Amino acid sequence: MRLEAITWDRLGDLLAERLLDLKPADGSPWPRIAFDGAPAARPGDLAERVGEALRIRGRPSLAVGMEGFMRPASVRLEYGHRDVDAYYDGWFDTGALWREVFGPLEPGGDGRVLPDLWDPVTDRATRSPYTQLPPGGFLLLHGPLLLRHWFPFDLTVHVLLSPGALRRRTPDAEHWTLPAFERYDQETGPAGTVDVLVRADDPRHPAWSG
């Protein structure tokens, strides 16, 4: 796949322009967008840029991070602090995401979304209020391993790091998670299946598939 150099600001603007005419295939009035990538790739930064670009264009959006839907530590760390299989399969509460985020945005839903549920730092419920996303508003879900859960995305973006860049930009204390992303690439192949691919090996000079 050929990639073209671009700035982050320009990328945010072009993605926002592309989203303006996006119509969900299932008839939902809320387009649902994935910003997939390892934490080191910082997909949430791109989601926030796109959200700001949409706001300037008069379209509401809600950025939701997977880190706000981690399971409690007692569940997440049941098999230890560095269990790769547990990280891959059980750290994130996908049931809560279906119930609190995707369910309200289905056709006939009420658009009342919970932006986060659990704070992994304090290991307590966030108690955040629900957010009312008006019809035509965009869900911008960002985080790792997004494309293996069959979430009903209307457009998918993957922020790609080469194995070397991923290792360099991942803190040493989190290197134990790297096999999970290798497995994800092998089983899901996000770089070859997403609608938009962004390569960010050099965080100052991204490139994208257009």
Side-chain angles (χ1 to χ4, degrees):
M1 181 183 294
R2 182 177 180 179
L3 302 179
E4 299 178 358
I6 194 170
T7 66
W8 288 112
D9 286 342
R10 181 65 174 154
L11 178 58
D13 285 337
L14 289 178
L15 282 174
E17 289 289 340
R18 181 168 178 175
L19 294 181
L20 292 179
D21 295 324
L22 182 64
K23 304 297 183 185
D26 64 359
S28 169
W30 299 282
R32 296 142 299 191
I33 318 303
F35 291 85
D36 178 58
R42 304 183 67 85
D45 290 356
L46 180 55
E48 294 290 349
R49 285 180 183 273
V50 172
E52 177 59 19
L54 287 169
R55 185 192 65 79
I56 292 171
R57 289 160 174 79
R59 295 292 294 274
S61 66
L62 176 65
V64 174
M66 288 286 280
E67 69 274 7
F69 285 85
M70 282 189 181
R71 297 183 187 277
S74 60
V75 177
R76 200 169 69 242
L77 307 178
E78 180 180 2
Y79 300 103
H81 287 255
R82 297 188 172 192
D83 188 283
V84 176
D85 290 337
Y87 178 74
Y88 192 75
D89 290 319
W91 269 42
F92 299 100
D93 192 344
T94 56
L97 278 162
W98 279 106
R99 182 180 66 252
E100 303 290 359
V101 177
F102 287 102
L105 303 182
E106 292 178 348
D110 61 8
R112 190 168 175 264
V113 176
L114 189 65
D116 52 58
L117 180 65
W118 198 261
D119 185 336
V121 176
T122 63
D123 200 34
R124 295 178 182 273
T126 58
R127 303 187 185 281
S128 295
Y130 283 85
T131 296
Q132 187 70 46
L133 191 61
F138 294 87
L139 170 68
L140 310 177
L141 181 66
H142 57 85
L145 313 174
L146 284 182
L147 306 181
R148 55 181 302 268
H149 301 296
W150 300 100
F151 292 139
F153 293 119
D154 301 296
L155 187 134
T156 54
V157 180
H158 178 65
V159 185
L160 174 68
L161 296 179
S162 67
L166 178 59
R167 177 170 289 275
R168 289 192 303 272
R169 292 172 58 184
T170 299
D172 289 348
E174 297 173 14
H175 273 192
W176 66 271
T177 65
L178 296 179
F181 295 107
E182 182 178 356
R183 178 181 170 188
Y184 181 58
D185 287 341
Q186 293 172 351
E187 294 184 353
T188 306
T193 58
V194 291
D195 299 300
V196 177
L197 181 65
V198 179
R199 190 171 194 119
D201 285 2
D202 183 342
R204 300 166 299 177
H205 304 291
W208 80 313
S209 59

